[in-house]
Amino acid sequence: MSGGDLDPGSKSSWIPDGAGAHDRTLVETWLFRLRQERFRSRKSGKTHDFFVAHLADGVHTIALTPEHQVVLVRQFRAGTGRDSLETPGGLLEPGEDPCVAGARELLEETGFAGDPPERLGILWPNPALLSMGITTIVVRNARRITEPRPDPSEELDVELVPIREIPALIQAGRIDHAVCVAGLLLWLTLEGSGTGASRTG
């Protein structure tokens, strides 16, 4: 998956201008590229320069224990300057399967592993500015099998939260990472619609 992938049945109302003379990289780091890219409207023919941050795609993992708990991590986030309660996740290597990456991130951040991952869908954190797509996966029957091995810059606390408490935590703003909220609500909606609801307890 890449940030530019679209439903094959869809047709974008704006397309790259083609000349490319106005496209340029403004900033490039190990994490992202900030690009100026010109697009043309199919409807009016007018062109406009957009600014797009190209980041690697990511994955978030909803891990469920046999005791009907969700495995969450609490960690510091520099953007808000405070700690955030989240589902485990991380960035994908180029071409990496999100299910493989999600299981790896879960193990590294929490020491938990479980059944083969189930892919729920892709979320776009801010399609106006970011090329990044984030896949949400579910890992059932998650159990602690080893000690966590977080990255050197990560200091994580693992929290096991009963499934029934997740909506209240979202409503109270205690889980407020937008991608995590969207992924959890997607999962709760699918479970409630009969695609495995009996397994949530």
Side-chain angles (χ1 to χ4, degrees):
M1 179 188 70
S2 70
D5 288 344
L6 295 172
D7 180 341
S10 69
K11 186 175 182 180
S12 175
S13 59
W14 288 65
I15 59 175
D17 186 35
H22 299 277
D23 294 358
R24 58 195 179 106
T25 298
L26 304 174
V27 178
E28 185 162 8
T29 73
W30 68 270
L31 182 60
F32 69 90
R33 285 182 296 121
L34 179 61
R35 297 263 303 159
Q36 174 181 305
E37 299 177 356
R38 178 162 292 189
F39 289 80
R40 176 169 49 83
S41 168
R42 291 180 187 271
K43 181 178 180 180
S44 66
K46 67 181 179 181
T47 61
H48 185 73
D49 290 336
F50 293 86
F51 296 88
V52 182
H54 293 269
L55 283 77
D57 292 327
V59 62
H60 272 265
T61 303
I62 300 173
L64 310 171
T65 73
E67 295 76 30
H68 309 299
Q69 298 167 313
V70 181
V71 182
L72 300 177
V73 294
R74 187 178 297 277
Q75 61 183 313
F76 175 73
R77 291 304 194 187
T80 57
R82 59 178 176 80
D83 291 356
S84 177
L85 186 61
E86 307 173 1
T87 48
L91 300 178
L92 305 182
E93 299 294 335
E96 187 175 22
D97 184 335
C99 288
V100 172
R104 181 194 68 235
E105 292 292 334
L106 175 65
L107 185 65
E108 291 178 354
E109 294 187 358
T110 70
F112 279 73
D115 294 347
E118 305 167 22
R119 190 187 307 232
L120 290 188
I122 300 175
L123 301 168
W124 304 93
N126 188 344
L129 301 173
L130 303 178
S131 67
M132 181 187 209
I134 297 182
T135 300
T136 299
I137 68 169
V138 174
V139 173
R140 302 181 190 274
N141 293 314
R143 295 176 171 84
R144 177 80 171 266
I145 64 169
T146 188
E147 290 296 316
R149 299 187 307 276
D151 292 337
S153 62
E154 293 179 322
E155 295 181 359
L156 307 175
D157 292 321
V158 178
E159 297 189 17
L160 302 180
V161 176
I163 291 173
R164 64 180 179 275
E165 295 182 10
I166 293 297
L169 290 175
I170 293 173
Q171 185 175 15
R174 293 183 57 193
I175 301 176
D176 61 1
H177 185 309
V179 171
C180 298
V181 170
L184 287 165
L185 292 178
L186 172 63
W187 164 68
L188 288 170
T189 299
L190 293 175
E191 294 286 297
S193 67
T195 57
S198 62
R199 290 178 284 180
T200 66

